[in-house]
Amino acid sequence: MFVRIVKMSFDPSKIEEFLENFNEKKESIRNFDGCRFLELYRDKTNPNIFFTYSYWEAEADLENYRHSDLFKGIWAKTKPLFNGKPEAWSVDKVASLE
């Protein structure tokens, strides 16, 4: 299992549109085969910046999602809302304390 972190910066006038779309699709993303966890974060100092944080069983699962109709539909609605280039990282969890 690995963690996928995506940083997105939005035009301030488009944030509500992004949030509406995310709220409509979040269950479908979370229930996509191989996705085990999904969260959305908002930066405290720059409210235009959001992060998705998700756990995936395998890289193939993430790639299947990225090539799915679900992702293509979400990306088509999300991409025009950006005011900067999104960044993404796939990382392995080294330590976790609760």
Side-chain angles (χ1 to χ4, degrees):
M1 186 173 315
F2 70 98
V3 179
R4 179 72 166 183
I5 303 166
V6 179
K7 178 184 177 184
M8 302 167 286
S9 181
F10 294 96
D11 180 306
S13 68
K14 305 294 184 180
I15 290 172
E16 287 306 314
E17 188 176 345
F18 162 71
L19 289 172
E20 287 174 15
N21 188 46
F22 182 84
N23 285 326
E24 286 177 18
K25 303 296 183 184
K26 65 185 177 188
E27 294 292 329
S28 296
I29 298 167
R30 170 54 188 88
N31 291 316
F32 197 87
D33 191 37
C35 183
R36 299 290 171 250
F37 181 81
L38 174 66
E39 288 184 325
L40 177 67
Y41 302 114
R42 189 174 198 173
D43 191 272
K44 291 182 90 45
T45 58
N46 185 341
N48 301 338
I49 296 177
F50 289 80
F51 299 85
T52 56
Y53 184 83
S54 55
Y55 293 175
W56 293 87
E57 284 291 327
E59 289 188 39
D61 295 320
L62 176 60
E63 287 306 309
N64 288 339
Y65 168 67
R66 292 182 66 220
H67 291 96
S68 71
D69 289 339
L70 173 62
F71 177 81
K72 289 175 185 175
I74 292 168
W75 190 248
K77 288 185 177 181
T78 305
K79 189 176 180 180
L81 309 178
F82 293 139
N83 69 357
K85 185 177 180 182
E87 298 178 66
W89 300 268
S90 293
V91 300
D92 292 319
K93 188 183 296 189
V94 175
S96 180
L97 304 170
E98 291 190 31

